[in-house]
Amino acid sequence: MSPVRGWFHPKTATGAASLVPAPPWRYSGDLLTVEYRTDPARVRELLPEPLEPAAEDPGAVALIWADWQSCADGGAELLDPVRAQYKETFAVVRCSYRGRTYSRCVYIWVDKDFAIARGLHQGYPKKLGSIHLTRPHPYGPAPCVEAGARFGATLAAADRRLAEVVATLREPSAGGGFVNGHPMLHHRWLPSIEKGKGLALDELIESGAASFEGGPPWAADAELTLFEAPTEELARLRVDEPIGAYYRQVGVVWDGGRLLESGTSGAR
Amino acid sequence: MSPVRGWFHPKTATGAASLVPAPPWRYSGDLLTVEYRTDPARVRELLPEPLEPAAEDPGAVALIWADWQSCADGGAELLDPVRAQYKETFAVVRCSYRGRTYSRCVYIWVDKDFAIARGLHQGYPKKLGSIHLTRPHPYGPAPCVEAGARFGATLAAADRRLAEVVATLREPSAGGGFVNGHPMLHHRWLPSIEKGKGLALDELIESGAASFEGGPPWAADAELTLFEAPTEELARLRVDEPIGAYYRQVGVVWDGGRLLESGTSGAR
Amino acid sequence: MSPVRGWFHPKTATGAASLVPAPPWRYSGDLLTVEYRTDPARVRELLPEPLEPAAEDPGAVALIWADWQSCADGGAELLDPVRAQYKETFAVVRCSYRGRTYSRCVYIWVDKDFAIARGLHQGYPKKLGSIHLTRPHPYGPAPCVEAGARFGATLAAADRRLAEVVATLREPSAGGGFVNGHPMLHHRWLPSIEKGKGLALDELIESGAASFEGGPPWAADAELTLFEAPTEELARLRVDEPIGAYYRQVGVVWDGGRLLESGTSGAR
Amino acid sequence: MSPVRGWFHPKTATGAASLVPAPPWRYSGDLLTVEYRTDPARVRELLPEPLEPAAEDPGAVALIWADWQSCADGGAELLDPVRAQYKETFAVVRCSYRGRTYSRCVYIWVDKDFAIARGLHQGYPKKLGSIHLTRPHPYGPAPCVEAGARFGATLAAADRRLAEVVATLREPSAGGGFVNGHPMLHHRWLPSIEKGKGLALDELIESGAASFEGGPPWAADAELTLFEAPTEELARLRVDEPIGAYYRQVGVVWDGGRLLESGTSGAR
């Protein structure tokens, strides 16, 4: 028997069929970030022990739309772009762990399977969704990145619209928001194959970008609407007070994280 | 009875449900054009009387990938981008009619219904397809528009890949190709609802952009592959000799065309 | 020049690329029909002159979900089922023309391009949608066709849910509803390519099944919900009073229709 | 802090957003199974230690198309069928472990996210694909389950067709094939979040149906074609010799499995 190869399933003799190659993973993308305050209790209820709410502004939420092109080393995906391009919408809150503040993705929808696989590795709780985001363009009716430009973005899953936003760019901004600005603190959970035996995988991990580059963020005014759906809870993070919105083009490299704890989650 | 309203079906009391609003239609998009020569007989067989092959270079073909954002007056679609964004791949040849040279789209695939509706009006023979095209990006692994940058593009329909190309940008170019550079000469055909009675609509029309703006075209070297499929004939336009390839960002307005002949086609 | 061939576009030398072959078209399918009364004024406003509301029960509407497998002569599509299978939801009302009662489809969504093409021919105002309908099955948790069995059905377009229903079968029924039981009276409209010149195609046609077979209809109790959307008007046909619901498996052949009038529509 | 709830991610205060509810999972479906022999070395190379090839007929492969409706307890998914219906194609081989023969899924494609989530739990190496399978129908042109009836099935992923088959039913059969007839022996693998540290989850598990019902299997003659693709290896399981094909309607319950070993895989 030769060992099977491939960073992810399916593992084969050559490894060529792996749903994703090993990190590092490289990303080019456009981000629309909408930050707002919700009832801090609604954030706290999403944080399993020993995570605690962030000390300051514990009800802050970021809902982020991203339009990505991504690849592993070699970049072959970029030349067969059905394997590189995907879009996502994700909700981020902050939390505190061992005295440090982290960002934490609590909901996320993507539109490709390779993005789901990466999320399993990184602890992002991904579902499939249908995501759209206006793209800047130098010619014709699409907006340029400039004051007054308007961008729309929408999210749907299971044939229901879950969120929509219209953002109007205001001016260049010193930063791109604070909710998604910390290292990510995620769980990686998988139930035991045997019923009633709890979790087979129960890890608390942190990770962040191995490198980052970006254009100037633009501040925006955003009108965000969330919609109810029977199998979604995004709308529980009700928009109580807008904080700000930001548009930015970025390049990111992700190359692994760090295990913090294993087997200690209170998750059921 | 009040008359029903709406530029396209379904027509209603308010017109709001029309699949597309009336022209003008405005487009922002990225174009990857691949020009090559095929057997001129394969072009000629796609030209019904009284169209004739172009006098010069009659076997020239352009296969074009486009990544569009589009809207009607008002631009509401751009803020709900599922209604604005679409991609298409189309094959263009040239022909001669009354001594003038025209471009003519002989095959085209799009990925949204509103694009199909516009095509019915404009005489583009649209089918649904799955189309992907690498997008330029200033950060991360995606290519910028610069010498050596590589873009991939693919087309599939009915779960079969029909075409794929990898294009490597070489240098800015004086032009963006010649095959798709003329006014479009299209038929608008619809069979009679009564069997055996031929065509109910049989128009020869011309149209072109009402206005156009664009960035500098870049010349590219392209490797194009076409694949057979049981209900497609794109691969009959076999790649015998590359001519050139071009990448360009453009803005276009389309606002109607002109009827040339009616009821005279030899189409069966 | 040889004439180009193919019943529908694109027309080619061989005709093989035609988006649909010529009729007859054959269908196997499952239908869930929900009939209800709305404000008759909302039906009347969808009827252009010289159509008039049906004399009796002029506010009756049928909203129908269908799960189809279809083909032309030869049946090749059934062996490559991506080309045969599609689903649709359509709203039907009745109208009167020259003293006769007709059915008329006022809204319809399908999920394949060949179904859009057939609809253009038949005068169905088709858009793309995402349609789901519970299927009966003899084993496991899916319902059989029997008293108490529950079927769900949903419709979405442009990432918004437009309608959903849960129907509970009650008993075999003498009929399958009356709203969609007449010949279809449809318009075939296409705007002139020249702006301001009205319609290039403006036909009033009738058609119906060339043959029909079906299993016993089952009567059902249905809970139907319609949702608003910015580019849809289905919800204007508000559910004021349920009439009935029906589940039925059918086989249908469609083979052309009859032209009634041309160029006389009041449509703008 | 309350513990978060939900059988799968995302875990929340209520558990309602979980991508899938806890088992048991119930399935109604139609299966088309195509069995053939390939080079036994191509099967062996997919079996990590300590798995060994089956003692008899070690090159046997089953490629199976399934059209499912599924739900958890309560069955709510069946009434919102976008959440219940999915299709899949999967390749199964046999292997030997501790002297017992098992079935093992080596490749699988599905078309919904909840099916991916279940597969992560069960050790199926799922990717997204586009899957179609002719459905039997009592009326119209679709086949009934009877001698001479022909069913087609296709698989595509990343816009490339990977497999297609046409099966002609011959006669009722005593069984439905032998390759997928054993308990499943699967790995559950997830890489460590820390680079170079191997696997964080490395389990060998077995599972099987908790209950099963089915109609009579029908034997069929099948013509199967596999296609190459750059990120797939299904075509390495070349069709050297047909064994048989089977069509069957089934009902299945899955309710957990058994952990056999942990941390001992030779997988890299």
Side-chain angles (χ1 to χ4, degrees):
Chain A
M1 292 296 101
S2 301
V4 290
R5 289 181 175 79
W7 186 80
F8 204 79
H9 72 234
K11 293 182 186 282
T12 65
T14 73
S18 172
L19 178 47
V20 277
W25 301 324
R26 304 175 191 285
Y27 304 76
S28 297
D30 300 349
L31 300 181
L32 176 63
T33 299
V34 184
E35 294 189 338
Y36 66 91
R37 287 187 187 92
T38 194
D39 179 349
R42 293 293 171 86
V43 173
R44 193 173 51 231
E45 72 184 19
L46 294 171
L47 303 176
E49 290 182 343
L51 280 54
E52 294 182 0
E56 294 188 18
D57 217 347
V61 177
L63 191 62
I64 305 170
W65 275 261
D67 189 349
W68 292 116
Q69 297 182 95
S70 64
C71 60
D73 277 347
E77 297 92 333
L78 293 169
L79 301 182
D80 188 13
V82 65
R83 294 159 42 201
Q85 296 176 343
Y86 72 103
K87 294 193 282 286
E88 67 187 3
T89 308
F90 57 111
V92 175
V93 300
R94 289 169 311 136
C95 60
S96 176
Y97 170 72
R98 293 183 183 169
R100 186 172 174 189
T101 302
Y102 287 88
S103 299
R104 180 175 175 91
C105 174
V106 292
Y107 302 117
I108 180 167
W109 295 262
V110 299
D111 58 9
K112 290 281 176 69
D113 56 357
F114 58 80
I116 287 181
R118 289 187 196 135
L120 283 163
H121 183 58
Q122 299 166 316
Y124 284 89
K126 291 184 178 178
K127 296 182 176 183
L128 286 178
S130 179
I131 296 112
H132 291 83
L133 171 56
T134 310
R135 286 196 297 267
H137 199 275
Y139 306 103
C144 294
V145 177
E146 64 186 10
R150 292 201 299 166
F151 291 75
T154 62
L155 165 68
D159 284 352
R160 286 184 174 90
R161 188 161 287 198
L162 302 180
E164 62 189 28
V165 66
V166 172
T168 305
L169 302 196
R170 210 171 49 224
E171 62 202 352
S173 167
F178 66 96
V179 179
N180 194 34
H182 304 275
M184 306 305 292
L185 187 71
H186 284 166
H187 281 86
R188 306 204 309 169
W189 283 314
L190 195 73
S192 171
I193 191 66
E194 306 195 3
K195 288 194 75 175
K197 295 226 175 150
L199 295 169
L201 183 74
D202 179 13
E203 294 185 345
L204 184 64
I205 60 118
E206 72 165 283
S207 84
S211 77
F212 176 90
E213 58 179 333
W218 276 73
D221 298 307
E223 292 177 61
L224 174 64
T225 309
L226 306 180
F227 302 95
E228 299 282 348
T231 59
E232 304 294 351
E233 299 182 68
L234 176 60
R236 276 176 80 89
L237 299 173
R238 194 183 58 199
V239 181
D240 283 347
E241 183 190 3
I243 296 177
Y246 306 92
Y247 186 85
R248 192 174 194 189
Q249 296 191 295
V250 304
V252 183
V253 179
W254 191 93
D255 197 24
R258 198 160 64 88
L259 178 64
L260 299 174
E261 297 186 20
S262 185
T264 58
S265 163
R268 292 173 180 176
Chain B
M1 292 298 99
S2 300
V4 290
R5 291 182 174 78
W7 187 80
F8 204 78
H9 71 233
K11 292 183 187 281
T12 65
T14 74
S18 171
L19 179 47
V20 278
W25 301 324
R26 304 175 190 284
Y27 304 77
S28 297
D30 300 347
L31 300 181
L32 177 63
T33 299
V34 184
E35 294 190 338
Y36 65 92
R37 288 187 187 92
T38 194
D39 179 349
R42 293 294 170 87
V43 173
R44 193 174 51 231
E45 72 184 19
L46 294 171
L47 304 176
E49 288 182 342
L51 281 54
E52 294 181 0
E56 293 188 19
D57 216 345
V61 177
L63 191 61
I64 304 170
W65 275 261
D67 188 349
W68 293 114
Q69 296 182 96
S70 64
C71 60
D73 276 347
E77 298 92 333
L78 293 168
L79 301 183
D80 189 12
V82 66
R83 294 159 41 200
Q85 296 176 344
Y86 72 104
K87 294 193 283 287
E88 66 187 3
T89 308
F90 57 111
V92 175
V93 300
R94 289 169 310 135
C95 60
S96 177
Y97 170 72
R98 294 184 182 168
R100 185 171 175 190
T101 302
Y102 288 89
S103 300
R104 181 175 176 90
C105 175
V106 291
Y107 301 116
I108 180 167
W109 296 262
V110 299
D111 58 10
K112 289 280 176 69
D113 56 356
F114 58 80
I116 288 181
R118 289 188 196 133
L120 283 162
H121 183 58
Q122 299 168 317
Y124 284 89
K126 290 184 178 179
K127 297 182 176 183
L128 285 179
S130 179
I131 297 111
H132 291 83
L133 170 56
T134 309
R135 287 196 296 268
H137 200 273
Y139 305 103
C144 295
V145 177
E146 63 186 11
R150 292 201 298 166
F151 291 74
T154 62
L155 166 67
D159 284 353
R160 287 185 174 89
R161 188 161 286 197
L162 301 180
E164 62 188 28
V165 66
V166 172
T168 305
L169 302 196
R170 209 171 49 223
E171 63 200 352
S173 166
F178 66 96
V179 179
N180 193 33
H182 304 275
M184 306 304 294
L185 187 71
H186 284 165
H187 281 86
R188 306 203 311 168
W189 284 314
L190 195 73
S192 171
I193 191 65
E194 305 194 4
K195 289 195 74 176
K197 295 227 175 150
L199 295 169
L201 183 74
D202 179 13
E203 295 185 344
L204 184 65
I205 60 117
E206 73 165 282
S207 83
S211 78
F212 176 90
E213 57 179 334
W218 275 73
D221 298 307
E223 293 177 60
L224 173 64
T225 309
L226 305 179
F227 302 95
E228 299 281 348
T231 58
E232 303 294 350
E233 299 181 69
L234 176 61
R236 278 176 79 90
L237 298 174
R238 194 183 56 200
V239 181
D240 284 346
E241 183 190 4
I243 297 176
Y246 306 92
Y247 186 85
R248 192 174 195 189
Q249 296 190 295
V250 304
V252 183
V253 179
W254 190 93
D255 196 24
R258 199 160 63 88
L259 178 64
L260 299 174
E261 298 185 19
S262 186
T264 58
S265 164
R268 292 175 179 174
Chain C
M1 292 297 101
S2 301
V4 290
R5 291 182 174 79
W7 186 79
F8 204 78
H9 71 234
K11 293 182 187 281
T12 64
T14 74
S18 172
L19 179 47
V20 278
W25 301 324
R26 304 176 190 283
Y27 304 76
S28 297
D30 300 349
L31 300 181
L32 176 62
T33 300
V34 184
E35 295 190 339
Y36 66 92
R37 288 187 186 92
T38 194
D39 178 350
R42 293 295 171 85
V43 173
R44 192 174 52 231
E45 73 184 20
L46 294 171
L47 303 176
E49 291 180 342
L51 281 54
E52 294 182 0
E56 293 188 18
D57 217 345
V61 177
L63 191 61
I64 304 170
W65 275 261
D67 189 350
W68 293 115
Q69 297 182 94
S70 64
C71 60
D73 277 348
E77 299 92 332
L78 293 169
L79 301 183
D80 188 13
V82 66
R83 295 160 40 200
Q85 297 176 344
Y86 72 103
K87 293 193 283 287
E88 67 187 3
T89 308
F90 58 111
V92 175
V93 300
R94 290 169 311 137
C95 59
S96 177
Y97 170 71
R98 294 182 183 171
R100 185 171 174 190
T101 302
Y102 288 88
S103 300
R104 181 176 175 90
C105 175
V106 291
Y107 302 116
I108 179 166
W109 296 262
V110 299
D111 58 9
K112 290 282 176 69
D113 56 357
F114 58 80
I116 288 180
R118 288 188 195 133
L120 283 162
H121 183 59
Q122 299 168 315
Y124 283 89
K126 291 184 177 177
K127 297 183 176 183
L128 285 178
S130 179
I131 297 113
H132 291 82
L133 172 56
T134 310
R135 285 195 298 268
H137 200 273
Y139 306 103
C144 295
V145 178
E146 64 187 10
R150 292 201 299 165
F151 291 75
T154 63
L155 165 67
D159 283 353
R160 286 185 174 90
R161 187 162 287 198
L162 301 180
E164 62 188 27
V165 66
V166 172
T168 305
L169 302 196
R170 209 171 49 224
E171 61 201 353
S173 166
F178 66 96
V179 179
N180 194 33
H182 304 274
M184 306 304 293
L185 187 71
H186 285 166
H187 281 86
R188 306 203 312 169
W189 284 314
L190 194 73
S192 170
I193 191 66
E194 306 194 4
K195 289 194 74 174
K197 296 228 175 148
L199 295 169
L201 183 74
D202 179 14
E203 294 185 346
L204 184 64
I205 60 119
E206 72 165 282
S207 83
S211 76
F212 176 90
E213 58 179 333
W218 275 73
D221 298 307
E223 291 177 61
L224 173 64
T225 310
L226 306 179
F227 303 95
E228 299 282 348
T231 59
E232 303 294 350
E233 298 181 69
L234 175 61
R236 278 175 79 90
L237 299 174
R238 193 183 57 199
V239 180
D240 284 346
E241 182 190 3
I243 297 176
Y246 306 92
Y247 187 85
R248 192 175 195 189
Q249 296 191 295
V250 304
V252 183
V253 179
W254 190 93
D255 196 24
R258 197 160 66 88
L259 178 64
L260 299 173
E261 298 186 18
S262 185
T264 58
S265 164
R268 291 175 180 175
Chain D
M1 293 297 101
S2 301
V4 290
R5 291 181 175 78
W7 187 80
F8 204 78
H9 72 234
K11 292 182 187 281
T12 64
T14 73
S18 172
L19 179 47
V20 277
W25 300 325
R26 305 175 190 283
Y27 303 77
S28 297
D30 299 348
L31 300 181
L32 176 64
T33 299
V34 184
E35 294 190 340
Y36 66 93
R37 288 187 186 92
T38 193
D39 179 349
R42 292 294 171 87
V43 173
R44 193 174 51 231
E45 73 184 19
L46 294 171
L47 303 176
E49 290 181 341
L51 281 54
E52 293 183 359
E56 293 187 19
D57 216 346
V61 178
L63 191 61
I64 304 169
W65 275 261
D67 189 349
W68 293 116
Q69 296 182 96
S70 64
C71 60
D73 277 347
E77 298 92 333
L78 293 169
L79 301 183
D80 188 12
V82 66
R83 295 158 41 200
Q85 296 176 345
Y86 73 104
K87 293 194 283 286
E88 67 187 3
T89 309
F90 57 112
V92 175
V93 300
R94 289 168 312 135
C95 60
S96 177
Y97 170 72
R98 293 184 182 168
R100 185 172 175 189
T101 302
Y102 288 88
S103 299
R104 181 176 175 90
C105 174
V106 291
Y107 301 116
I108 180 167
W109 295 263
V110 299
D111 58 10
K112 289 281 175 70
D113 56 357
F114 59 80
I116 287 181
R118 289 188 196 133
L120 283 162
H121 183 57
Q122 300 168 315
Y124 284 89
K126 291 184 177 177
K127 298 182 176 183
L128 286 179
S130 179
I131 296 111
H132 291 82
L133 170 57
T134 310
R135 286 196 297 269
H137 200 274
Y139 306 103
C144 295
V145 178
E146 64 185 11
R150 292 201 300 166
F151 291 74
T154 63
L155 165 68
D159 283 353
R160 286 184 175 90
R161 187 161 287 199
L162 302 180
E164 62 188 27
V165 65
V166 172
T168 305
L169 302 196
R170 210 171 50 224
E171 62 202 352
S173 165
F178 66 97
V179 178
N180 194 33
H182 305 274
M184 306 305 293
L185 186 71
H186 284 165
H187 281 86
R188 306 203 312 169
W189 283 313
L190 195 73
S192 171
I193 192 65
E194 305 194 4
K195 289 194 74 174
K197 296 229 175 149
L199 294 170
L201 183 74
D202 179 14
E203 294 185 344
L204 184 65
I205 60 116
E206 72 165 282
S207 83
S211 77
F212 176 89
E213 57 178 334
W218 275 73
D221 298 307
E223 292 177 61
L224 174 64
T225 310
L226 306 179
F227 302 95
E228 299 282 348
T231 59
E232 303 294 350
E233 299 181 68
L234 175 61
R236 278 176 79 90
L237 299 173
R238 193 184 57 201
V239 181
D240 284 346
E241 182 190 3
I243 297 177
Y246 307 93
Y247 186 84
R248 192 175 194 189
Q249 296 190 295
V250 304
V252 183
V253 179
W254 190 94
D255 197 24
R258 198 159 65 87
L259 178 64
L260 299 174
E261 297 185 20
S262 185
T264 57
S265 164
R268 291 175 181 174

